[in-house]
Amino acid sequence: MTRVVDTHRQVFGSDPEGVWSAPGRVNLIGEHTDYNDGLVLPIALPQRTDAACSPRADDLLRVWSVQTDELVEVALADVGPGRPEGWAAYVAGVLWALRAAGHEVRGLDVTVDSAVPVGAGLSSSAALECAVGAAASDLFGLGLLADDAGRAALAAGCVRAENEVAGAPTGGMDQSAALLCRVDHALLLDCRSGATEHVPFDLASDGTASGHGTTAGDGSASGSGTESGDGAPSGHVLLVTDTRAEHSLNDGQYGERRSSCEQAAAELGVAALRDVDPKDLDDALARLSDDVLRRRTRHIVTEIARVRACVEALRAGDLAGVGRLFDASHASLRDDYEVSCAELDASVEAARGAGALGARMTGGGFGGSSIALLPAGAVDDAVRATTAAFAERGWREPRCFVVTAGVAAGRDA
Ligand code: GAF
């Protein structure tokens, strides 16, 4: 946070009015279900994007990024689909969407600094949108952070920014996670009704798990866990592996999956694939016109059922059950939805080989990150095995880090 304030002062010549931040996310389970009106179960990451902001009296937006050392200036009247391009679209798009929703929003000077790795499938773009959206809400007196209804409305604006200005046809999970998640809880979000439940995910408190330290890019992990009598860490942790196989959500593949789901729903005469009851799945599959649509539909219907089962397993403290659901989700995403890749599969296999209860890709796929539910004492082995597997294949060294469920977007200073 000091860095974003210092940089803001250097770039814009005065202190920011405040600093806001929003988290990246990992989705525990429920992948590609958000745009099928389904269920998702993300947690907010400890890694956040900071936005130091000062309001302007005119309608100019000036944004500096610490990561790219670049200043982008745009008049709010010039923001629209495809304008500006690149990372600044996620910032400008949010102000554009708030204005489109009827809010009085003026220009801003913004400095952004992100600890959420870009291209890692951990929602760096939603973190950026939501940090700026939170700032705009406070600075222009919109009051959207005051309650969950306001936060959901802000999330919807951030989704518009991403879909319409940045041109990525994503669903709404990531922005909802960044704005609605609670510490030590996973967010069960019904993407049709908007209903939420906060499901305890404090692996440290129930004696079954503890996630703490993070790793640097050196591949070492410092999941501390609780200490058992013999000094070895006990409990379980959630390990994220950023495969560094870069993924993108606006290269056509993501949009293609979304269109297939819409086509399948149309052929079945339902509003969304969420409406297919798992017990009627075989019958629904038999009515679809081709095998690709059948496999996409099977993934969505079974994945939504896995979210429900995962929530039950978490509430019952059945981590072995959670692990089995992670494994089944990964297989479905790899074989039926076809959004995994060799690096994600290898990271999942390596974690399992090191004793994970279960592991799966998380996020949109085609690269990005995987998650593994591991006994705390197995973290170092999992990191070593993953790093070795990647080195053997000549891939870039993965980045592994243990995470806990963090807090939603808000004002920091
Ligand atoms: C990406 C998208 F942005 C989300 O909306 C969601 O569809 C996810 O991929 C897959 O579950 O993160």
Coordinates of all heavy atoms in Angstrom, one line a residue, residues 12 49-50 61-73 83-94 110-114 118 124-126 128-129 132 161-162 165-166 250:
F12 N 1.2 11.9 -9.9 CA 0.1 12.9 -10.0 C 0.4 14.2 -9.2 O -0.3 15.2 -9.2 CB -1.2 12.3 -9.6 CG -1.7 11.2 -10.6 CD1 -1.8 9.9 -10.2 CD2 -2.0 11.5 -11.9 CE1 -2.2 8.9 -11.0 CE2 -2.4 10.5 -12.8 CZ -2.5 9.2 -12.3
T49 N -5.5 -6.2 -5.5 CA -5.2 -5.1 -6.3 C -5.5 -3.8 -5.6 O -6.6 -3.6 -5.1 CB -5.9 -5.1 -7.7 OG1 -5.5 -6.3 -8.3 CG2 -5.6 -3.9 -8.5
D50 N -4.5 -2.9 -5.5 CA -4.7 -1.6 -4.8 C -5.0 -0.5 -5.9 O -4.4 -0.5 -6.9 CB -3.5 -1.1 -4.1 CG -3.1 -2.0 -2.9 OD1 -4.0 -2.6 -2.3 OD2 -1.9 -2.1 -2.5
L61 N -10.1 10.8 -17.2 CA -9.6 9.7 -16.4 C -8.1 9.5 -16.7 O -7.7 9.4 -17.9 CB -10.3 8.4 -16.7 CG -9.7 7.1 -16.1 CD1 -9.9 7.1 -14.6 CD2 -10.4 5.9 -16.7
R62 N -7.3 9.6 -15.7 CA -5.8 9.3 -15.9 C -5.5 8.1 -15.0 O -5.7 8.1 -13.8 CB -5.0 10.5 -15.5 CG -5.3 11.8 -16.2 CD -4.3 12.8 -16.0 NE -4.2 13.3 -14.7 CZ -3.3 14.2 -14.2 NH1 -2.4 14.7 -15.1 NH2 -3.3 14.6 -13.0
V63 N -4.9 7.1 -15.6 CA -4.5 5.9 -14.8 C -3.1 5.5 -15.0 O -2.6 5.3 -16.2 CB -5.4 4.6 -15.3 CG1 -5.5 3.6 -14.1 CG2 -6.7 5.0 -15.8
W64 N -2.4 5.3 -13.9 CA -1.0 4.8 -14.0 C -1.0 3.4 -13.4 O -1.6 3.1 -12.4 CB -0.1 5.7 -13.1 CG 1.3 5.2 -13.0 CD1 1.8 4.4 -12.1 CD2 2.4 5.5 -14.0 NE1 3.1 4.1 -12.4 CE2 3.5 4.8 -13.5 CE3 2.4 6.3 -15.1 CZ2 4.7 4.9 -14.1 CZ3 3.7 6.4 -15.8 CH2 4.8 5.7 -15.3
S65 N -0.3 2.5 -14.1 CA -0.1 1.1 -13.6 C 1.3 0.9 -13.1 O 2.3 1.1 -13.9 CB -0.4 0.1 -14.7 OG 0.1 -1.1 -14.3
V66 N 1.5 0.5 -11.9 CA 2.8 0.2 -11.3 C 3.4 -1.0 -12.1 O 4.6 -1.1 -12.3 CB 2.7 -0.1 -9.8 CG1 4.0 -0.7 -9.3 CG2 2.3 1.1 -9.0
Q67 N 2.5 -1.9 -12.5 CA 3.1 -3.1 -13.2 C 3.6 -2.8 -14.6 O 4.6 -3.4 -15.1 CB 2.0 -4.2 -13.3 CG 1.8 -5.1 -12.1 CD 1.5 -4.3 -10.8 OE1 0.6 -3.5 -10.8 NE2 2.3 -4.4 -9.7
T68 N 2.9 -1.9 -15.3 CA 3.4 -1.6 -16.7 C 4.1 -0.3 -16.8 O 4.6 0.0 -17.9 CB 2.2 -1.6 -17.7 OG1 1.3 -0.6 -17.3 CG2 1.4 -2.9 -17.7
D69 N 4.2 0.5 -15.7 CA 4.9 1.8 -15.8 C 4.3 2.6 -16.9 O 5.1 3.1 -17.8 CB 6.4 1.6 -16.0 CG 7.2 1.7 -14.8 OD1 6.6 2.2 -13.8 OD2 8.4 1.4 -14.8
E70 N 3.0 2.7 -17.0 CA 2.4 3.4 -18.1 C 1.2 4.2 -17.7 O 0.5 3.8 -16.8 CB 1.9 2.2 -19.0 CG 1.3 2.5 -20.3 CD 0.7 1.3 -20.9 OE1 0.6 0.2 -20.2 OE2 0.2 1.4 -22.0
L71 N 1.1 5.4 -18.3 CA 0.0 6.3 -18.0 C -1.0 6.3 -19.2 O -0.6 6.4 -20.3 CB 0.5 7.7 -17.8 CG -0.6 8.7 -17.4 CD1 -1.1 8.5 -16.0 CD2 -0.1 10.2 -17.5
V72 N -2.3 6.0 -18.9 CA -3.3 6.1 -19.9 C -4.2 7.2 -19.5 O -4.6 7.4 -18.4 CB -4.1 4.8 -20.0 CG1 -5.2 4.9 -21.0 CG2 -3.2 3.6 -20.4
E73 N -4.5 8.1 -20.5 CA -5.5 9.2 -20.3 C -6.6 9.1 -21.3 O -6.4 8.8 -22.5 CB -4.8 10.5 -20.6 CG -3.8 11.0 -19.5 CD -3.4 12.5 -19.7 OE1 -4.2 13.2 -20.4 OE2 -2.4 12.8 -19.2
R83 N -12.8 0.8 -26.4 CA -12.0 2.1 -26.1 C -12.0 2.4 -24.6 O -13.1 2.5 -24.1 CB -12.6 3.3 -26.9 CG -12.7 3.2 -28.3 CD -13.2 4.5 -28.9 NE -14.3 5.1 -28.2 CZ -15.6 4.8 -28.4 NH1 -16.0 3.9 -29.3 NH2 -16.5 5.4 -27.7
P84 N -10.9 2.5 -24.0 CA -9.5 2.3 -24.5 C -9.3 0.8 -24.6 O -10.1 0.0 -24.1 CB -8.7 2.9 -23.4 CG -9.5 2.8 -22.1 CD -10.9 2.9 -22.6
E85 N -8.1 0.4 -25.2 CA -7.8 -1.0 -25.3 C -6.9 -1.4 -24.1 O -6.4 -0.5 -23.4 CB -7.0 -1.2 -26.6 CG -7.9 -1.1 -27.8 CD -7.2 -1.4 -29.1 OE1 -5.9 -1.3 -29.1 OE2 -7.9 -1.8 -30.1
G86 N -6.7 -2.7 -24.0 CA -5.7 -3.2 -23.0 C -6.2 -3.0 -21.5 O -7.4 -2.9 -21.3
W87 N -5.3 -3.0 -20.6 CA -5.7 -3.1 -19.2 C -6.5 -1.9 -18.7 O -7.4 -2.0 -17.8 CB -4.4 -3.2 -18.3 CG -3.5 -2.1 -18.4 CD1 -2.5 -2.0 -19.3 CD2 -3.5 -0.9 -17.6 NE1 -1.8 -0.7 -19.1 CE2 -2.5 -0.1 -18.1 CE3 -4.3 -0.4 -16.6 CZ2 -2.2 1.2 -17.6 CZ3 -4.1 0.9 -16.1 CH2 -3.0 1.7 -16.6
A88 N -6.3 -0.7 -19.4 CA -7.1 0.5 -18.9 C -8.6 0.3 -19.2 O -9.4 1.0 -18.6 CB -6.5 1.7 -19.6
A89 N -8.9 -0.6 -20.1 CA -10.4 -0.8 -20.4 C -11.1 -1.2 -19.1 O -12.3 -0.9 -18.9 CB -10.5 -1.9 -21.5
Y90 N -10.4 -2.0 -18.3 CA -11.1 -2.5 -17.1 C -11.3 -1.4 -16.1 O -12.2 -1.5 -15.3 CB -10.2 -3.6 -16.4 CG -10.0 -4.8 -17.4 CD1 -8.9 -5.0 -18.1 CD2 -11.1 -5.7 -17.5 CE1 -8.7 -6.1 -18.9 CE2 -10.9 -6.8 -18.4 CZ -9.7 -7.0 -19.1 OH -9.6 -8.0 -19.9
V91 N -10.5 -0.4 -16.1 CA -10.7 0.8 -15.2 C -11.7 1.7 -15.8 O -12.7 2.1 -15.2 CB -9.3 1.5 -15.1 CG1 -9.5 2.8 -14.2 CG2 -8.3 0.6 -14.5
A92 N -11.5 2.2 -17.0 CA -12.4 3.1 -17.7 C -13.8 2.5 -17.8 O -14.8 3.2 -17.7 CB -11.9 3.5 -19.1
G93 N -13.9 1.2 -18.1 CA -15.1 0.5 -18.3 C -16.0 0.6 -17.1 O -17.3 0.7 -17.2
V94 N -15.4 0.6 -15.9 CA -16.2 0.6 -14.7 C -16.9 2.0 -14.6 O -18.1 2.1 -14.3 CB -15.4 0.3 -13.5 CG1 -16.2 0.5 -12.2 CG2 -14.9 -1.1 -13.5
V110 N -5.9 7.8 -11.0 CA -5.9 6.5 -10.4 C -4.5 5.9 -10.5 O -3.9 6.0 -11.6 CB -6.9 5.5 -11.0 CG1 -6.9 4.2 -10.3 CG2 -8.2 6.1 -11.1
T111 N -3.9 5.3 -9.5 CA -2.7 4.5 -9.6 C -3.1 3.1 -9.1 O -3.6 2.9 -8.0 CB -1.6 5.1 -8.6 OG1 -1.4 6.4 -9.0 CG2 -0.3 4.3 -8.8
V112 N -2.7 2.1 -10.0 CA -3.1 0.7 -9.6 C -1.8 -0.1 -9.4 O -0.8 0.1 -10.1 CB -4.0 0.1 -10.6 CG1 -5.4 0.7 -10.6 CG2 -3.4 0.1 -12.0
D113 N -1.9 -0.9 -8.4 CA -0.7 -1.8 -8.1 C -1.3 -3.1 -7.7 O -2.1 -3.2 -6.8 CB 0.1 -1.2 -6.9 CG 1.3 -1.9 -6.6 OD1 1.7 -2.9 -7.4 OD2 2.0 -1.6 -5.6
S114 N -0.9 -4.2 -8.4 CA -1.6 -5.5 -8.2 C -0.7 -6.6 -7.7 O 0.4 -6.8 -8.3 CB -2.3 -5.9 -9.5 OG -3.0 -7.1 -9.2
V118 N -1.2 -11.5 -13.2 CA -2.0 -11.3 -14.4 C -1.9 -12.6 -15.3 O -0.8 -13.2 -15.4 CB -1.5 -10.1 -15.2 CG1 -2.2 -10.0 -16.5 CG2 -1.7 -8.9 -14.4
S124 N -7.4 -11.3 -12.0 CA -6.8 -10.0 -11.8 C -7.6 -8.9 -12.5 O -7.7 -7.8 -11.9 CB -5.4 -10.0 -12.5 OG -5.5 -10.3 -13.8
S125 N -8.3 -9.2 -13.5 CA -9.1 -8.1 -14.2 C -10.3 -7.7 -13.3 O -10.6 -6.6 -13.1 CB -9.6 -8.5 -15.6 OG -10.0 -9.8 -15.6
A126 N -11.0 -8.7 -12.7 CA -12.1 -8.4 -11.8 C -11.6 -7.6 -10.5 O -12.2 -6.7 -10.0 CB -12.8 -9.6 -11.3
L128 N -9.1 -5.6 -10.4 CA -8.9 -4.2 -10.9 C -10.2 -3.5 -11.0 O -10.3 -2.3 -10.5 CB -8.1 -4.3 -12.2 CG -7.8 -3.0 -13.0 CD1 -7.0 -2.0 -12.1 CD2 -7.0 -3.3 -14.2
E129 N -11.1 -4.1 -11.7 CA -12.5 -3.4 -11.8 C -13.1 -3.1 -10.5 O -13.6 -2.0 -10.3 CB -13.4 -4.3 -12.6 CG -13.1 -4.6 -14.0 CD -13.6 -6.0 -14.5 OE1 -14.4 -6.7 -13.7 OE2 -13.3 -6.4 -15.6
V132 N -11.4 -0.2 -8.4 CA -11.7 1.1 -9.0 C -13.2 1.4 -8.7 O -13.6 2.5 -8.4 CB -11.4 1.1 -10.5 CG1 -11.9 2.4 -11.1 CG2 -9.9 1.0 -10.7
A161 N -18.5 -3.7 -17.7 CA -17.2 -3.1 -18.1 C -16.4 -4.2 -18.9 O -15.8 -4.0 -19.9 CB -16.4 -2.6 -16.9
E162 N -16.4 -5.4 -18.3 CA -15.6 -6.5 -18.8 C -16.2 -7.0 -20.2 O -15.5 -7.2 -21.2 CB -15.5 -7.6 -17.8 CG -14.7 -8.8 -18.3 CD -13.8 -9.4 -17.2 OE1 -13.6 -8.8 -16.2 OE2 -13.3 -10.5 -17.5
V165 N -16.8 -3.2 -22.6 CA -15.7 -2.3 -23.0 C -14.4 -3.1 -23.3 O -13.8 -2.9 -24.3 CB -15.5 -1.2 -21.8 CG1 -14.2 -0.4 -22.2 CG2 -16.7 -0.4 -21.7
A166 N -14.1 -4.1 -22.4 CA -12.9 -4.9 -22.6 C -13.2 -6.0 -23.6 O -12.3 -6.6 -24.2 CB -12.4 -5.5 -21.3
N250 N -10.5 -13.6 -23.8 CA -11.2 -13.0 -25.0 C -10.5 -13.4 -26.3 O -10.4 -12.6 -27.3 CB -11.3 -11.4 -24.9 CG -10.0 -10.8 -24.4 OD1 -9.0 -11.4 -24.3 ND2 -10.1 -9.5 -24.2

